[in-house]
Amino acid sequence: MSKKPDFYTPYKGPAGGWGALQSTTKHWLKSDNAIRNINTLLKTNQPHGFDCPGCAWGEKHDPAKIRFCENGAKAVNWEATSRKVDAAFMAEHSVTWLNSQSNYFLEYQGRLTEPMRYNRETDHYEPISWDQAYKQIADTLKSQSSPDNVAFYTSGRASNEAAFLYQLFARAYGTNNFPDCSNMCHEASGYALTSSIGIGKGTVEIDDFEHTDAVFVFGQNPGTNHPRMLETLKEVVQRGAQLLSFNTLRERGLERFQNPQNPIEMLTNGSQPTTTGYFCPKIGGDMAVVRGMVKVLIDLEEAAQQQGKAVFDHDFINEHTQGLDAYLEQVKQTSWPDIIKQSGLTKEEITHAANVYANANSVIITWAMGITQHHHSVATIHEIVNLLTLRGNLGKPGAGTCPVRGHSNVQGDRTMGINECPSQAFLDALEKHFHFTPPQKHGLAVVDTIRAMRDGKVGVFIALGGNFAAATPDTQATEQALKKCQLTVQISTKLNRSHLITGTEAIILPCLGRTDIDHQTTGQQKVTVEDSFSMIHASGGVLEPLTKEQKSEPAIIAGIAAATLGNFPINWMEAVSDYDVIRDHIAAVIPGFSDFNQRILQDGGFYLGNSARERKWTTPSNKAILHTHVLPESILPKRAQDLLSDKTLIMQTLRSHDQYNTTIYGMDDRYRGIKGERKVVFINPADIQRLGFEEGQSVTLRSIWDDGVERKVSGFKLVPYSIPAGNIAAYYPETNPLVPLDSHGEFSNTPTSKSIAIELEAYEEESNNIAISAS
């Protein structure tokens, strides 16, 4: 029986402000380490502190008293808890019982404090010594018929030092199987940028936001996903620059922001706008928006030429680009009705955005996973780069590309060689320095790793951080694939779903977090990370570990490697006794890291550099390439298109405000007005009425795909929201079961978590009609 959504009250305040302070205080108190964690928070993102374990947004070069946001405070307090998941906890709770609990419950139990091995007979994890764990893992690795039977997964939390050792170990072992969290988020950015400008990273530095005339924000919600970005956006607007946001949902952080560090705003309850224009395209409609803008620019260019002027930067285009004529011809052939239908915006709205772009001398375009998790994501990013090239907005101050990465070192991990398709130059550098021939055959990314485990081609899965079972698509298929493994190994700070979806054998290895002091034989160690702006800086923990059984990620990798390979190709234990040794190896192999150990001593670290920023295009033609794509007839893959009906809705998955990636800090979503509930569907009120439902009614979501597999999640409540008709949104990981494994991006193989075809069905709780658990 339906009811009005009493758990939903539209939020009327700004982002940040008193709500952020109250939330920070609540999580600070919940850590059970309130006194100690005051000092911990004050060390967050400071030159002589630790890097926030949350997002990868960069810091200004000028120092500030406080350099953490609400979500950073949640991440720090969540990690710096005194609660323990130890042998006594595991003896009390079976794996089956734990797997029936929510994701929030699991991670709230505290820090993992000792290595454990799963006993299938008792259905409990039991203590195991580090030497026993290393030996079991090494024996299993050495018994494989091929190194390619093993997959080495990496989370973006891993430091540069850990990631470099990890890839070195795996390649010395003999495989390029590196499924990585970037495969599920910004793989499209890396592919598209590399094929367009020769480097898979953003070209801007954070200081460019102080000099830009206009910023275009596509497909991201900074207020929840990277709140420190809001201060930057507010400052752009305050100094009179244009800032246009394109986001399917109305998000408060993209409207107004109250800075908790501004006494006047806090005392007067004032706030500042974070945009000068807000547009809500349909899910997946961003490519059509940009295509329409270019269509307007062509008209403006033709009119300007008649007056002896120009809108396009012809000097830049002629010297630095290739492919303009074919691209512009394709734009001309794209009809306005197709652009308007797919974008969901009017011609007037698109024309306004194009005029803002045309009147700005320097433009930054920034985007996140609202752009990268579609079938046509690479084409969309190519379109964005093409737009930037038309007015020379690459390689000049205040202009360029700015993909905003998620986890704090996901970009650094890729720089360190966590890549299933490494460049030949990188492999050659490894061979020259370490005197062995790395495997040349490309390895497996996330989607292909799941398929390989399912098909019995990968039997050992080692995870350096992350929560693979919860983060990946097609949850039922992923879990079944993991269960087929001979051995699963999780290197983790806290208990999560992936520890409970085990192979025949399973081992948990407890590691230090960013907040923990890393003691090695030569003393306290620092690690390094790379932010979204290619800044490399040091991070050193400030808290004593809860137990001596917790080891650093580099130490754990070295322990496994030494047990498996001996002292080949390096003395592993010597390398982790002093991380300067690891950084010397990095400097010898990876360009841009010369004098690594000296350069990280400076406050704020150092800039790694970007060839495209210097207008050096490392593409085959040594030019920036304008790629030409036909605007797709549908944003969905062909395998879903033929099954659609007038009841079909397009769903995107997203985070709540009390969440970071798969970590659930609480059950609220303040900015969207949700209290104590996660199983909700944000839907246009007109769709509720059109489909014959009521506000607050519980429904089942059924995914549309052509493989005959029934993918459903049930008991989700309808919440009327400002979202385009025909589109819905819901939280992950609860809705990850609806994302078919074979629904992925063209060229990127990234799961299409932002564009899934769905139909809603009425749900009666007593029928318990749930095909796939979404707990």
Side-chain angles (χ1 to χ4, degrees):
M1 183 176 180
S2 64
K3 63 177 182 178
K4 292 291 183 181
D6 53 2
F7 54 87
Y8 170 62
T9 303
Y11 182 75
K12 300 186 183 302
W18 291 107
L21 286 181
Q22 291 169 354
S23 177
T24 298
T25 301
K26 179 181 74 172
H27 286 275
W28 167 57
L29 293 172
K30 284 172 63 177
S31 71
D32 290 349
N33 264 330
I35 302 299
R36 184 180 68 166
N37 280 0
I38 292 176
N39 180 62
T40 306
L41 286 171
L42 293 176
K43 292 287 187 180
T44 307
N45 293 323
Q46 296 292 341
H48 302 288
F50 62 92
D51 189 77
C52 178
C55 77
W57 188 253
E59 295 291 342
K60 287 187 175 182
H61 301 303
D62 57 313
K65 292 181 180 179
I66 297 177
R67 302 174 82 168
F68 63 85
C69 65
E70 175 187 352
N71 278 15
K74 292 175 185 175
V76 169
N77 284 304
W78 203 246
E79 179 176 286
T81 179
S82 62
R83 292 186 296 275
K84 299 178 181 180
V85 175
D86 53 15
F89 177 91
M90 289 300 195
E92 183 179 353
H93 304 296
S94 71
V95 167
T96 299
W97 182 85
L98 287 170
N99 198 31
S100 69
Q101 306 306 303
S102 70
N103 293 304
Y104 170 74
F105 173 87
L106 295 176
E107 296 213 30
Y108 188 69
Q109 301 314 302
R111 291 289 298 274
L112 295 160
T113 58
E114 54 191 306
M116 288 175 276
R117 174 181 176 272
Y118 180 53
N119 185 330
R120 187 166 294 277
E121 292 184 1
T122 64
D123 193 32
H124 285 262
Y125 273 101
E126 299 172 352
I128 184 175
S129 73
W130 280 102
D131 287 344
Q132 289 173 322
Y134 291 153
K135 183 178 186 305
Q136 181 175 344
I137 296 167
D139 288 347
T140 303
L141 292 177
K142 287 187 283 189
S143 71
Q144 299 304 303
S145 59
S146 166
D148 290 331
N149 292 353
V150 183
F152 294 84
Y153 178 70
T154 319
S155 159
R157 186 202 68 212
S159 66
N160 289 327
E161 291 74 12
F164 186 81
L165 281 190
Y166 198 53
Q167 66 81 28
L168 178 62
F169 165 47
R171 290 192 166 104
Y173 174 69
T175 186
N176 283 316
N177 286 347
F178 287 108
D180 176 52
C181 63
S182 64
N183 301 146
M184 295 183 283
C185 54
H186 268 286
E187 194 67 57
S189 297
Y191 183 97
L193 290 173
T194 299
S195 58
S196 291
I197 61 175
I199 185 170
K201 302 180 182 183
T203 63
V204 304
E205 296 183 50
I206 195 166
D207 289 346
D208 283 314
F209 284 89
E210 298 178 3
H211 306 289
T212 188
D213 297 312
V215 177
F216 287 71
V217 179
F218 282 94
Q220 59 182 302
N221 176 23
T224 287
N225 298 335
H226 25 267
R228 284 183 293 139
M229 184 180 181
L230 293 182
E231 177 69 14
T232 302
L233 299 184
K234 185 188 77 168
E235 290 173 355
V236 168
V237 175
Q238 278 184 316
R239 63 178 179 79
Q242 293 291 306
L243 199 152
L244 273 56
S245 289
F246 299 82
N247 195 67
T248 300
L249 282 77
R250 278 277 171 184
E251 301 286 13
R252 188 48 46 89
L254 289 171
E255 295 176 319
R256 300 194 69 79
F257 173 61
Q258 184 180 81
N259 187 353
Q261 296 189 53
N262 186 314
I264 295 177
E265 286 185 13
M266 295 297 286
L267 290 173
T268 62
N269 204 30
S271 61
Q272 298 293 328
T274 49
T275 58
T276 58
Y278 200 129
F279 305 92
C280 292
K282 291 180 180 177
I283 287 175
D286 305 277
M287 180 180 177
V289 172
V290 179
R291 177 66 55 92
M293 290 175 61
V294 175
K295 201 169 180 69
V296 174
L297 290 173
I298 292 174
D299 292 341
L300 293 174
E301 169 69 11
E302 291 175 350
Q305 285 183 347
Q306 292 178 2
Q307 301 176 18
K309 301 178 182 179
V311 172
F312 293 173
D313 185 339
H314 292 282
D315 289 341
F316 175 84
I317 291 169
N318 293 334
E319 181 179 355
H320 293 287
T321 73
Q322 175 182 312
L324 175 68
D325 292 342
Y327 170 66
L328 292 183
E329 183 58 34
Q330 184 64 60
V331 174
K332 292 175 182 178
Q333 293 177 12
T334 309
S335 73
W336 272 111
D338 288 343
I339 289 171
I340 292 167
K341 179 181 178 181
Q342 189 168 117
S343 71
L345 301 184
T346 65
K347 184 177 180 180
E348 290 71 24
E349 288 175 313
I350 294 172
T351 299
H352 172 74
N355 282 318
V356 170
Y357 179 83
N359 290 321
N361 290 322
S362 56
V363 175
I364 293 171
I365 298 183
T366 175
W367 66 90
M369 289 190 289
I371 295 295
T372 63
Q373 291 184 322
H374 300 281
H375 183 66
H376 65 307
S377 290
V378 168
T380 300
I381 298 167
H382 280 157
E383 199 82 9
I384 288 171
V385 174
N386 292 352
L387 174 63
L388 287 168
T389 62
L390 293 180
R391 287 183 50 77
N393 280 307
L394 291 169
K396 69 180 182 182
T401 60
C402 183
V404 180
R405 310 288 177 167
H407 221 148
S408 61
N409 200 42
V410 64
Q411 183 163 302
D413 287 351
R414 183 56 57 92
T415 301
M416 291 296 108
I418 301 296
N419 190 339
E420 77 281 359
C421 301
S423 70
Q424 192 59 50
F426 178 79
L427 295 178
D428 290 346
L430 281 179
E431 181 170 9
K432 180 179 180 181
H433 182 67
F434 292 108
H435 309 294
F436 78 97
T437 302
Q440 305 293 302
K441 184 178 75 171
H442 286 176
L444 303 177
V446 165
V447 169
D448 286 331
T449 293
I450 297 170
R451 292 186 182 123
M453 291 190 295
R454 176 196 65 192
D455 298 339
K457 297 178 181 178
V458 163
V460 180
F461 180 82
I462 301 176
L464 180 63
N467 186 358
F468 189 84
T472 46
D474 217 340
T475 305
Q476 188 179 55
T478 297
E479 291 186 356
Q480 291 303 315
L482 285 166
K483 290 176 181 178
K484 284 190 172 184
C485 287
Q486 177 185 355
L487 172 67
T488 52
V489 180
Q490 305 287 337
I491 303 170
S492 309
T493 57
K494 305 191 82 175
L495 184 65
N496 65 46
R497 184 70 56 195
S498 294
H499 303 123
L500 312 175
I501 310 299
T502 70
T504 302
E505 298 284 337
I507 291 175
I508 297 173
L509 302 176
C511 67
L512 300 178
R514 292 274 176 82
T515 59
D516 299 316
I517 297 173
D518 184 351
H519 296 283
Q520 300 299 333
T521 55
T522 60
Q524 293 185 19
Q525 304 297 314
K526 291 182 181 293
V527 295
T528 59
V529 298
E530 178 182 349
D531 65 26
S532 285
F533 302 101
S534 297
M535 291 295 299
I536 308 293
H537 46 92
S539 173
V542 297
L543 300 176
E544 287 294 336
L546 287 180
T547 74
K548 293 183 179 180
E549 288 290 290
Q550 294 169 311
K551 292 182 179 290
S552 73
E553 288 177 327
I556 294 171
I557 296 163
I560 299 173
T564 307
L565 303 175
N567 285 334
F568 173 80
I570 61 172
N571 184 322
W572 298 96
M573 305 319 294
E574 181 181 276
V576 294
S577 68
D578 183 349
Y579 293 177
D580 282 358
V581 175
I582 305 173
R583 286 186 282 271
D584 284 339
H585 286 308
I586 293 171
V589 171
I590 302 177
F593 285 88
S594 59
D595 298 321
F596 193 1
N597 283 309
Q598 288 70 44
R599 292 163 77 191
I600 62 171
L601 297 178
Q602 61 194 47
D603 289 354
F606 65 92
Y607 179 53
L608 191 56
N610 184 290
S611 54
R613 183 179 177 85
E614 300 171 8
R615 294 188 170 179
K616 297 176 181 177
W617 321 103
T618 56
T619 61
S621 64
N622 295 318
K623 300 279 190 178
I625 309 299
L626 282 82
H627 292 270
T628 299
H629 299 275
V630 175
L631 189 70
E633 293 183 10
S634 170
I635 67 164
L636 297 171
K638 178 65 175 173
R639 293 180 62 179
Q641 292 177 25
D642 297 336
L643 303 175
L644 308 184
S645 73
D646 59 358
K647 295 183 179 180
T648 302
L649 302 167
I650 308 301
M651 181 193 77
Q652 71 169 57
T653 67
L654 41 67
R655 300 173 184 167
S656 77
H657 192 62
D658 254 358
Q659 174 180 359
Y660 192 77
N661 292 341
T662 59
T663 301
I664 313 300
Y665 299 125
M667 304 299 287
D668 297 342
D669 190 352
R670 187 170 72 252
Y671 296 153
R672 298 191 186 106
I674 302 299
K675 183 74 172 178
E677 182 63 72
R678 285 190 57 81
K679 296 177 73 171
V680 297
V681 177
F682 298 102
I683 183 171
N684 188 293
D687 283 328
I688 297 177
Q689 183 176 12
R690 177 177 66 86
L691 296 171
F693 296 117
E694 298 179 23
E695 296 180 13
Q697 183 173 348
S698 291
V699 297
T700 290
L701 287 75
R702 180 173 62 85
S703 180
I704 298 173
W705 199 247
D706 71 349
D707 59 2
V709 175
E710 185 176 68
R711 297 177 177 88
K712 290 184 177 182
V713 292
S714 296
F716 283 67
K717 300 177 179 67
L718 297 177
V719 176
Y721 206 77
S722 180
I723 186 172
N727 293 170
I728 59 174
Y731 303 134
Y732 72 82
E734 288 84 354
T735 52
N736 282 356
L738 300 172
V739 183
L741 186 63
D742 293 333
S743 183
H744 50 72
E746 191 177 19
F747 306 111
S748 70
N749 275 348
T750 296
T752 60
S753 300
K754 291 293 186 288
S755 50
I756 298 299
I758 297 292
E759 288 191 4
L760 302 180
E761 304 166 356
Y763 170 73
E764 296 295 336
E765 189 170 355
E766 59 269 22
S767 69
N768 198 29
N769 183 26
I770 304 177
I772 301 174
S773 171
S775 61

